[in-house]
PDB file of all heavy atoms in Angstrom:
ATOM      1  N   ILE A  22      88.893 -54.268-168.854  1.00  0.00           N
ATOM      2  CA  ILE A  22      87.693 -53.737-169.496  1.00  0.00           C
ATOM      3  C   ILE A  22      87.955 -53.606-170.991  1.00  0.00           C
ATOM      4  O   ILE A  22      89.072 -53.279-171.415  1.00  0.00           O
ATOM      5  CB  ILE A  22      87.309 -52.371-168.879  1.00  0.00           C
ATOM      6  CG1 ILE A  22      85.962 -51.877-169.418  1.00  0.00           C
ATOM      7  CG2 ILE A  22      88.397 -51.349-169.110  1.00  0.00           C
ATOM      8  CD1 ILE A  22      85.473 -50.612-168.709  1.00  0.00           C
ATOM      9  N   THR A  23      86.933 -53.888-171.798  1.00  0.00           N
ATOM     10  CA  THR A  23      87.066 -53.748-173.245  1.00  0.00           C
ATOM     11  C   THR A  23      86.587 -52.374-173.685  1.00  0.00           C
ATOM     12  O   THR A  23      85.992 -51.620-172.908  1.00  0.00           O
ATOM     13  CB  THR A  23      86.245 -54.827-173.969  1.00  0.00           C
ATOM     14  OG1 THR A  23      84.842 -54.578-173.749  1.00  0.00           O
ATOM     15  CG2 THR A  23      86.602 -56.224-173.467  1.00  0.00           C
ATOM     16  N   ALA A  24      86.835 -52.076-174.957  1.00  0.00           N
ATOM     17  CA  ALA A  24      86.415 -50.784-175.495  1.00  0.00           C
ATOM     18  C   ALA A  24      84.895 -50.633-175.419  1.00  0.00           C
ATOM     19  O   ALA A  24      84.385 -49.572-175.031  1.00  0.00           O
ATOM     20  CB  ALA A  24      86.893 -50.648-176.939  1.00  0.00           C
ATOM     21  N   MET A  25      84.145 -51.689-175.774  1.00  0.00           N
ATOM     22  CA  MET A  25      82.690 -51.617-175.721  1.00  0.00           C
ATOM     23  C   MET A  25      82.205 -51.406-174.296  1.00  0.00           C
ATOM     24  O   MET A  25      81.285 -50.605-174.056  1.00  0.00           O
ATOM     25  CB  MET A  25      82.081 -52.904-176.291  1.00  0.00           C
ATOM     26  CG  MET A  25      80.570 -52.832-176.461  1.00  0.00           C
ATOM     27  SD  MET A  25      80.090 -51.577-177.674  1.00  0.00           S
ATOM     28  CE  MET A  25      78.303 -51.657-177.582  1.00  0.00           C
ATOM     29  N   GLN A  26      82.814 -52.071-173.344  1.00  0.00           N
ATOM     30  CA  GLN A  26      82.424 -51.893-171.941  1.00  0.00           C
ATOM     31  C   GLN A  26      82.713 -50.475-171.471  1.00  0.00           C
ATOM     32  O   GLN A  26      81.947 -49.902-170.694  1.00  0.00           O
ATOM     33  CB  GLN A  26      83.168 -52.913-171.069  1.00  0.00           C
ATOM     34  CG  GLN A  26      82.697 -54.343-171.269  1.00  0.00           C
ATOM     35  CD  GLN A  26      83.586 -55.349-170.564  1.00  0.00           C
ATOM     36  OE1 GLN A  26      84.776 -55.116-170.357  1.00  0.00           O
ATOM     37  NE2 GLN A  26      83.010 -56.489-170.189  1.00  0.00           N
ATOM     38  N   ALA A  27      83.802 -49.889-171.946  1.00  0.00           N
ATOM     39  CA  ALA A  27      84.132 -48.517-171.566  1.00  0.00           C
ATOM     40  C   ALA A  27      83.108 -47.540-172.128  1.00  0.00           C
ATOM     41  O   ALA A  27      82.724 -46.574-171.462  1.00  0.00           O
ATOM     42  CB  ALA A  27      85.533 -48.166-172.061  1.00  0.00           C
ATOM     43  N   VAL A  28      82.649 -47.785-173.355  1.00  0.00           N
ATOM     44  CA  VAL A  28      81.622 -46.923-173.954  1.00  0.00           C
ATOM     45  C   VAL A  28      80.328 -47.014-173.140  1.00  0.00           C
ATOM     46  O   VAL A  28      79.683 -46.003-172.844  1.00  0.00           O
ATOM     47  CB  VAL A  28      81.367 -47.324-175.419  1.00  0.00           C
ATOM     48  CG1 VAL A  28      80.136 -46.595-175.975  1.00  0.00           C
ATOM     49  CG2 VAL A  28      82.592 -47.006-176.271  1.00  0.00           C
ATOM     50  N   LEU A  29      79.970 -48.232-172.746  1.00  0.00           N
ATOM     51  CA  LEU A  29      78.758 -48.406-171.938  1.00  0.00           C
ATOM     52  C   LEU A  29      78.917 -47.764-170.563  1.00  0.00           C
ATOM     53  O   LEU A  29      77.973 -47.177-170.028  1.00  0.00           O
ATOM     54  CB  LEU A  29      78.437 -49.898-171.800  1.00  0.00           C
ATOM     55  CG  LEU A  29      78.069 -50.615-173.106  1.00  0.00           C
ATOM     56  CD1 LEU A  29      77.863 -52.097-172.852  1.00  0.00           C
ATOM     57  CD2 LEU A  29      76.824 -49.999-173.734  1.00  0.00           C
ATOM     58  N   ALA A  30      80.110 -47.846-169.988  1.00  0.00           N
ATOM     59  CA  ALA A  30      80.365 -47.219-168.685  1.00  0.00           C
ATOM     60  C   ALA A  30      80.288 -45.698-168.779  1.00  0.00           C
ATOM     61  O   ALA A  30      80.053 -45.021-167.772  1.00  0.00           O
ATOM     62  CB  ALA A  30      81.730 -47.650-168.149  1.00  0.00           C
ATOM     63  N   ALA A  31      80.489 -45.168-169.981  1.00  0.00           N
ATOM     64  CA  ALA A  31      80.368 -43.724-170.207  1.00  0.00           C
ATOM     65  C   ALA A  31      78.929 -43.328-170.521  1.00  0.00           C
ATOM     66  O   ALA A  31      78.691 -42.248-171.069  1.00  0.00           O
ATOM     67  CB  ALA A  31      81.290 -43.302-171.340  1.00  0.00           C
ATOM     68  N   GLY A  32      77.986 -44.196-170.220  1.00  0.00           N
ATOM     69  CA  GLY A  32      76.582 -43.894-170.433  1.00  0.00           C
ATOM     70  C   GLY A  32      76.031 -44.421-171.737  1.00  0.00           C
ATOM     71  O   GLY A  32      74.843 -44.287-172.020  1.00  0.00           O
ATOM     72  N   GLY A  33      76.916 -45.017-172.555  1.00  0.00           N
ATOM     73  CA  GLY A  33      76.491 -45.535-173.841  1.00  0.00           C
ATOM     74  C   GLY A  33      76.628 -44.511-174.945  1.00  0.00           C
ATOM     75  O   GLY A  33      76.803 -43.313-174.698  1.00  0.00           O
ATOM     76  N   PRO A  34      76.522 -44.959-176.201  1.00  0.00           N
ATOM     77  CA  PRO A  34      76.652 -44.037-177.330  1.00  0.00           C
ATOM     78  C   PRO A  34      75.395 -43.197-177.521  1.00  0.00           C
ATOM     79  O   PRO A  34      74.288 -43.618-177.186  1.00  0.00           O
ATOM     80  CB  PRO A  34      76.865 -44.986-178.515  1.00  0.00           C
ATOM     81  CG  PRO A  34      76.183 -46.253-178.109  1.00  0.00           C
ATOM     82  CD  PRO A  34      76.361 -46.365-176.624  1.00  0.00           C
ATOM     83  N   LYS A  35      75.579 -42.012-178.068  1.00  0.00           N
ATOM     84  CA  LYS A  35      74.438 -41.178-178.452  1.00  0.00           C
ATOM     85  C   LYS A  35      73.822 -41.718-179.744  1.00  0.00           C
ATOM     86  O   LYS A  35      74.391 -42.584-180.403  1.00  0.00           O
ATOM     87  CB  LYS A  35      74.884 -39.726-178.637  1.00  0.00           C
ATOM     88  CG  LYS A  35      75.361 -39.067-177.364  1.00  0.00           C
ATOM     89  CD  LYS A  35      75.760 -37.612-177.614  1.00  0.00           C
ATOM     90  CE  LYS A  35      76.220 -36.928-176.344  1.00  0.00           C
ATOM     91  NZ  LYS A  35      76.630 -35.523-176.588  1.00  0.00           N
ATOM     92  N   GLU A  36      72.669 -41.188-180.082  1.00  0.00           N
ATOM     93  CA  GLU A  36      71.935 -41.708-181.236  1.00  0.00           C
ATOM     94  C   GLU A  36      72.722 -41.579-182.541  1.00  0.00           C
ATOM     95  O   GLU A  36      72.643 -42.445-183.414  1.00  0.00           O
ATOM     96  CB  GLU A  36      70.586 -40.991-181.375  1.00  0.00           C
ATOM     97  CG  GLU A  36      69.583 -41.334-180.275  1.00  0.00           C
ATOM     98  CD  GLU A  36      68.233 -40.694-180.515  1.00  0.00           C
ATOM     99  OE1 GLU A  36      68.071 -40.039-181.574  1.00  0.00           O
ATOM    100  OE2 GLU A  36      67.343 -40.846-179.661  1.00  0.00           O
ATOM    101  N   ASP A  37      73.484 -40.495-182.681  1.00  0.00           N
ATOM    102  CA  ASP A  37      74.204 -40.295-183.937  1.00  0.00           C
ATOM    103  C   ASP A  37      75.654 -40.765-183.867  1.00  0.00           C
ATOM    104  O   ASP A  37      76.476 -40.407-184.714  1.00  0.00           O
ATOM    105  CB  ASP A  37      74.162 -38.827-184.343  1.00  0.00           C
ATOM    106  CG  ASP A  37      74.733 -37.921-183.257  1.00  0.00           C
ATOM    107  OD1 ASP A  37      74.951 -38.415-182.133  1.00  0.00           O
ATOM    108  OD2 ASP A  37      74.941 -36.716-183.531  1.00  0.00           O
ATOM    109  N   ALA A  38      76.001 -41.584-182.861  1.00  0.00           N
ATOM    110  CA  ALA A  38      77.372 -42.083-182.726  1.00  0.00           C
ATOM    111  C   ALA A  38      77.685 -43.103-183.820  1.00  0.00           C
ATOM    112  O   ALA A  38      76.865 -43.954-184.150  1.00  0.00           O
ATOM    113  CB  ALA A  38      77.571 -42.719-181.350  1.00  0.00           C
ATOM    114  N   ALA A  39      78.866 -42.999-184.379  1.00  0.00           N
ATOM    115  CA  ALA A  39      79.320 -43.932-185.416  1.00  0.00           C
ATOM    116  C   ALA A  39      80.057 -45.088-184.759  1.00  0.00           C
ATOM    117  O   ALA A  39      81.293 -45.128-184.731  1.00  0.00           O
ATOM    118  CB  ALA A  39      80.217 -43.204-186.411  1.00  0.00           C
ATOM    119  N   MET A  40      79.304 -46.056-184.207  1.00  0.00           N
ATOM    120  CA  MET A  40      79.915 -47.176-183.494  1.00  0.00           C
ATOM    121  C   MET A  40      80.620 -48.153-184.443  1.00  0.00           C
ATOM    122  O   MET A  40      81.346 -49.031-183.999  1.00  0.00           O
ATOM    123  CB  MET A  40      78.852 -47.909-182.690  1.00  0.00           C
ATOM    124  CG  MET A  40      78.306 -47.098-181.533  1.00  0.00           C
ATOM    125  SD  MET A  40      79.584 -46.751-180.297  1.00  0.00           S
ATOM    126  CE  MET A  40      79.860 -48.386-179.634  1.00  0.00           C
ATOM    127  N   GLY A  41      80.415 -47.994-185.720  1.00  0.00           N
ATOM    128  CA  GLY A  41      81.098 -48.859-186.683  1.00  0.00           C
ATOM    129  C   GLY A  41      82.537 -48.459-186.928  1.00  0.00           C
ATOM    130  O   GLY A  41      83.284 -49.185-187.593  1.00  0.00           O
ATOM    131  N   ARG A  42      82.937 -47.326-186.360  1.00  0.00           N
ATOM    132  CA  ARG A  42      84.326 -46.868-186.559  1.00  0.00           C
ATOM    133  C   ARG A  42      84.782 -46.081-185.331  1.00  0.00           C
ATOM    134  O   ARG A  42      84.998 -44.875-185.373  1.00  0.00           O
ATOM    135  CB  ARG A  42      84.444 -46.020-187.825  1.00  0.00           C
ATOM    136  CG  ARG A  42      85.874 -45.897-188.344  1.00  0.00           C
ATOM    137  CD  ARG A  42      85.868 -45.316-189.763  1.00  0.00           C
ATOM    138  NE  ARG A  42      87.196 -45.345-190.347  1.00  0.00           N
ATOM    139  CZ  ARG A  42      88.049 -44.320-190.308  1.00  0.00           C
ATOM    140  NH1 ARG A  42      87.693 -43.196-189.708  1.00  0.00           N
ATOM    141  NH2 ARG A  42      89.232 -44.415-190.873  1.00  0.00           N
ATOM    142  N   VAL A  43      84.932 -46.781-184.229  1.00  0.00           N
ATOM    143  CA  VAL A  43      85.428 -46.185-182.988  1.00  0.00           C
ATOM    144  C   VAL A  43      86.951 -46.185-183.046  1.00  0.00           C
ATOM    145  O   VAL A  43      87.575 -47.205-183.384  1.00  0.00           O
ATOM    146  CB  VAL A  43      84.937 -46.967-181.758  1.00  0.00           C
ATOM    147  CG1 VAL A  43      85.541 -46.401-180.477  1.00  0.00           C
ATOM    148  CG2 VAL A  43      83.411 -46.924-181.695  1.00  0.00           C
ATOM    149  N   VAL A  44      87.551 -45.067-182.722  1.00  0.00           N
ATOM    150  CA  VAL A  44      89.003 -44.929-182.827  1.00  0.00           C
ATOM    151  C   VAL A  44      89.637 -45.093-181.450  1.00  0.00           C
ATOM    152  O   VAL A  44      89.241 -44.425-180.487  1.00  0.00           O
ATOM    153  CB  VAL A  44      89.389 -43.561-183.417  1.00  0.00           C
ATOM    154  CG1 VAL A  44      90.900 -43.473-183.615  1.00  0.00           C
ATOM    155  CG2 VAL A  44      88.664 -43.333-184.738  1.00  0.00           C
ATOM    156  N   LEU A  45      90.604 -45.986-181.365  1.00  0.00           N
ATOM    157  CA  LEU A  45      91.368 -46.197-180.137  1.00  0.00           C
ATOM    158  C   LEU A  45      92.779 -45.662-180.345  1.00  0.00           C
ATOM    159  O   LEU A  45      93.502 -46.106-181.242  1.00  0.00           O
ATOM    160  CB  LEU A  45      91.424 -47.692-179.789  1.00  0.00           C
ATOM    161  CG  LEU A  45      92.414 -48.106-178.698  1.00  0.00           C
ATOM    162  CD1 LEU A  45      92.096 -47.431-177.369  1.00  0.00           C
ATOM    163  CD2 LEU A  45      92.436 -49.621-178.541  1.00  0.00           C
ATOM    164  N   PHE A  46      93.166 -44.681-179.526  1.00  0.00           N
ATOM    165  CA  PHE A  46      94.527 -44.152-179.535  1.00  0.00           C
ATOM    166  C   PHE A  46      95.286 -44.806-178.385  1.00  0.00           C
ATOM    167  O   PHE A  46      94.904 -44.660-177.219  1.00  0.00           O
ATOM    168  CB  PHE A  46      94.529 -42.630-179.359  1.00  0.00           C
ATOM    169  CG  PHE A  46      93.797 -41.893-180.442  1.00  0.00           C
ATOM    170  CD1 PHE A  46      92.472 -41.520-180.286  1.00  0.00           C
ATOM    171  CD2 PHE A  46      94.447 -41.568-181.634  1.00  0.00           C
ATOM    172  CE1 PHE A  46      91.796 -40.826-181.281  1.00  0.00           C
ATOM    173  CE2 PHE A  46      93.769 -40.869-182.633  1.00  0.00           C
ATOM    174  CZ  PHE A  46      92.450 -40.502-182.455  1.00  0.00           C
ATOM    175  N   ARG A  47      96.349 -45.507-178.707  1.00  0.00           N
ATOM    176  CA  ARG A  47      97.154 -46.198-177.677  1.00  0.00           C
ATOM    177  C   ARG A  47      98.553 -45.605-177.663  1.00  0.00           C
ATOM    178  O   ARG A  47      99.299 -45.671-178.643  1.00  0.00           O
ATOM    179  CB  ARG A  47      97.210 -47.696-177.954  1.00  0.00           C
ATOM    180  CG  ARG A  47      98.111 -48.477-176.997  1.00  0.00           C
ATOM    181  CD  ARG A  47      97.736 -49.941-176.983  1.00  0.00           C
ATOM    182  NE  ARG A  47      96.415 -50.123-176.352  1.00  0.00           N
ATOM    183  CZ  ARG A  47      95.755 -51.289-176.362  1.00  0.00           C
ATOM    184  NH1 ARG A  47      96.264 -52.344-176.961  1.00  0.00           N
ATOM    185  NH2 ARG A  47      94.579 -51.388-175.750  1.00  0.00           N
ATOM    186  N   ARG A  48      98.913 -45.017-176.544  1.00  0.00           N
ATOM    187  CA  ARG A  48     100.208 -44.341-176.448  1.00  0.00           C
ATOM    188  C   ARG A  48     101.347 -45.355-176.480  1.00  0.00           C
ATOM    189  O   ARG A  48     101.361 -46.317-175.726  1.00  0.00           O
ATOM    190  CB  ARG A  48     100.269 -43.508-175.174  1.00  0.00           C
ATOM    191  CG  ARG A  48     101.530 -42.667-175.063  1.00  0.00           C
ATOM    192  CD  ARG A  48     101.423 -41.639-173.981  1.00  0.00           C
ATOM    193  NE  ARG A  48     101.258 -42.222-172.659  1.00  0.00           N
ATOM    194  CZ  ARG A  48     101.273 -41.507-171.541  1.00  0.00           C
ATOM    195  NH1 ARG A  48     101.395 -40.194-171.604  1.00  0.00           N
ATOM    196  NH2 ARG A  48     101.126 -42.089-170.383  1.00  0.00           N
ATOM    197  N   ILE A  49     102.312 -45.116-177.354  1.00  0.00           N
ATOM    198  CA  ILE A  49     103.511 -45.950-177.426  1.00  0.00           C
ATOM    199  C   ILE A  49     104.572 -45.413-176.478  1.00  0.00           C
ATOM    200  O   ILE A  49     105.209 -46.153-175.741  1.00  0.00           O
ATOM    201  CB  ILE A  49     104.049 -45.985-178.872  1.00  0.00           C
ATOM    202  CG1 ILE A  49     102.994 -46.577-179.809  1.00  0.00           C
ATOM    203  CG2 ILE A  49     105.351 -46.781-178.953  1.00  0.00           C
ATOM    204  CD1 ILE A  49     103.384 -46.515-181.269  1.00  0.00           C
ATOM    205  N   ASP A  50     104.767 -44.099-176.524  1.00  0.00           N
ATOM    206  CA  ASP A  50     105.692 -43.422-175.619  1.00  0.00           C
ATOM    207  C   ASP A  50     105.196 -41.992-175.450  1.00  0.00           C
ATOM    208  O   ASP A  50     104.057 -41.680-175.798  1.00  0.00           O
ATOM    209  CB  ASP A  50     107.141 -43.473-176.153  1.00  0.00           C
ATOM    210  CG  ASP A  50     107.261 -42.979-177.593  1.00  0.00           C
ATOM    211  OD1 ASP A  50     106.523 -42.031-177.967  1.00  0.00           O
ATOM    212  OD2 ASP A  50     108.073 -43.527-178.343  1.00  0.00           O
ATOM    213  N   SER A  51     106.044 -41.132-174.915  1.00  0.00           N
ATOM    214  CA  SER A  51     105.608 -39.761-174.640  1.00  0.00           C
ATOM    215  C   SER A  51     105.350 -38.967-175.909  1.00  0.00           C
ATOM    216  O   SER A  51     104.712 -37.910-175.865  1.00  0.00           O
ATOM    217  CB  SER A  51     106.664 -39.039-173.788  1.00  0.00           C
ATOM    218  OG  SER A  51     107.913 -39.005-174.467  1.00  0.00           O
ATOM    219  N   GLU A  52     105.802 -39.452-177.075  1.00  0.00           N
ATOM    220  CA  GLU A  52     105.682 -38.686-178.308  1.00  0.00           C
ATOM    221  C   GLU A  52     104.712 -39.281-179.318  1.00  0.00           C
ATOM    222  O   GLU A  52     104.092 -38.551-180.086  1.00  0.00           O
ATOM    223  CB  GLU A  52     107.063 -38.541-178.960  1.00  0.00           C
ATOM    224  CG  GLU A  52     108.047 -37.720-178.125  1.00  0.00           C
ATOM    225  CD  GLU A  52     109.355 -37.503-178.849  1.00  0.00           C
ATOM    226  OE1 GLU A  52     109.515 -38.056-179.968  1.00  0.00           O
ATOM    227  OE2 GLU A  52     110.214 -36.795-178.309  1.00  0.00           O
ATOM    228  N   MET A  53     104.578 -40.614-179.345  1.00  0.00           N
ATOM    229  CA  MET A  53     103.806 -41.252-180.398  1.00  0.00           C
ATOM    230  C   MET A  53     102.683 -42.120-179.836  1.00  0.00           C
ATOM    231  O   MET A  53     102.806 -42.709-178.761  1.00  0.00           O
ATOM    232  CB  MET A  53     104.712 -42.119-181.280  1.00  0.00           C
ATOM    233  CG  MET A  53     105.804 -41.357-182.010  1.00  0.00           C
ATOM    234  SD  MET A  53     105.157 -40.120-183.176  1.00  0.00           S
ATOM    235  CE  MET A  53     104.303 -41.179-184.359  1.00  0.00           C
ATOM    236  N   SER A  54     101.585 -42.184-180.603  1.00  0.00           N
ATOM    237  CA  SER A  54     100.453 -43.055-180.272  1.00  0.00           C
ATOM    238  C   SER A  54     100.087 -43.883-181.498  1.00  0.00           C
ATOM    239  O   SER A  54     100.205 -43.419-182.633  1.00  0.00           O
ATOM    240  CB  SER A  54      99.241 -42.231-179.822  1.00  0.00           C
ATOM    241  OG  SER A  54      99.486 -41.606-178.579  1.00  0.00           O
ATOM    242  N   GLU A  55      99.626 -45.108-181.241  1.00  0.00           N
ATOM    243  CA  GLU A  55      99.174 -45.994-182.308  1.00  0.00           C
ATOM    244  C   GLU A  55      97.658 -45.907-182.413  1.00  0.00           C
ATOM    245  O   GLU A  55      96.964 -45.766-181.409  1.00  0.00           O
ATOM    246  CB  GLU A  55      99.600 -47.430-182.020  1.00  0.00           C
ATOM    247  CG  GLU A  55      99.286 -48.405-183.141  1.00  0.00           C
ATOM    248  CD  GLU A  55      99.802 -49.803-182.856  1.00  0.00           C
ATOM    249  OE1 GLU A  55     100.223 -50.045-181.712  1.00  0.00           O
ATOM    250  OE2 GLU A  55      99.764 -50.639-183.776  1.00  0.00           O
ATOM    251  N   VAL A  56      97.133 -46.007-183.645  1.00  0.00           N
ATOM    252  CA  VAL A  56      95.709 -45.863-183.892  1.00  0.00           C
ATOM    253  C   VAL A  56      95.108 -47.219-184.281  1.00  0.00           C
ATOM    254  O   VAL A  56      95.638 -47.917-185.150  1.00  0.00           O
ATOM    255  CB  VAL A  56      95.446 -44.847-185.021  1.00  0.00           C
ATOM    256  CG1 VAL A  56      93.954 -44.737-185.301  1.00  0.00           C
ATOM    257  CG2 VAL A  56      96.017 -43.484-184.647  1.00  0.00           C
ATOM    258  N   HIS A  57      93.986 -47.590-183.624  1.00  0.00           N
ATOM    259  CA  HIS A  57      93.228 -48.792-183.961  1.00  0.00           C
ATOM    260  C   HIS A  57      91.795 -48.378-184.281  1.00  0.00           C
ATOM    261  O   HIS A  57      91.202 -47.563-183.558  1.00  0.00           O
ATOM    262  CB  HIS A  57      93.222 -49.784-182.794  1.00  0.00           C
ATOM    263  CG  HIS A  57      94.580 -50.260-182.390  1.00  0.00           C
ATOM    264  ND1 HIS A  57      95.165 -51.394-182.906  1.00  0.00           N
ATOM    265  CD2 HIS A  57      95.476 -49.745-181.499  1.00  0.00           C
ATOM    266  CE1 HIS A  57      96.351 -51.566-182.363  1.00  0.00           C
ATOM    267  NE2 HIS A  57      96.574 -50.577-181.506  1.00  0.00           N
ATOM    268  N   ILE A  58      91.229 -48.941-185.351  1.00  0.00           N
ATOM    269  CA  ILE A  58      89.840 -48.691-185.722  1.00  0.00           C
ATOM    270  C   ILE A  58      89.009 -49.900-185.296  1.00  0.00           C
ATOM    271  O   ILE A  58      89.268 -51.031-185.734  1.00  0.00           O
ATOM    272  CB  ILE A  58      89.683 -48.450-187.230  1.00  0.00           C
ATOM    273  CG1 ILE A  58      90.616 -47.309-187.687  1.00  0.00           C
ATOM    274  CG2 ILE A  58      88.237 -48.131-187.563  1.00  0.00           C
ATOM    275  CD1 ILE A  58      90.337 -45.990-187.012  1.00  0.00           C
ATOM    276  N   LEU A  59      88.012 -49.683-184.431  1.00  0.00           N
ATOM    277  CA  LEU A  59      87.196 -50.765-183.884  1.00  0.00           C
ATOM    278  C   LEU A  59      85.782 -50.687-184.448  1.00  0.00           C
ATOM    279  O   LEU A  59      85.169 -49.619-184.455  1.00  0.00           O
ATOM    280  CB  LEU A  59      87.154 -50.667-182.355  1.00  0.00           C
ATOM    281  CG  LEU A  59      88.510 -50.576-181.638  1.00  0.00           C
ATOM    282  CD1 LEU A  59      88.287 -50.486-180.130  1.00  0.00           C
ATOM    283  CD2 LEU A  59      89.401 -51.749-181.984  1.00  0.00           C
TER     284      LEU A  59
END
């Protein structure tokens, strides 16, 4: 599943959602996560 599909599966974005800058946190290990801006 892609990030956009996950947002739609969550009912879709609200009217004031900033879909131009969705933040993806991806865990590297138990202490650190990497950040992606979609």
Side-chain angles (χ1 to χ4, degrees):
I22 187 173
T23 68
M25 188 64 183
Q26 290 171 332
V28 170
L29 295 176
K35 295 181 179 179
E36 290 185 3
D37 57 349
M40 292 296 291
R42 199 167 187 266
V43 176
V44 184
L45 168 61
F46 299 95
R47 176 159 291 171
R48 186 167 62 173
I49 299 174
D50 52 36
S51 59
E52 295 185 356
M53 298 298 296
S54 292
E55 185 176 10
V56 178
H57 299 268
I58 305 299
L59 308 180

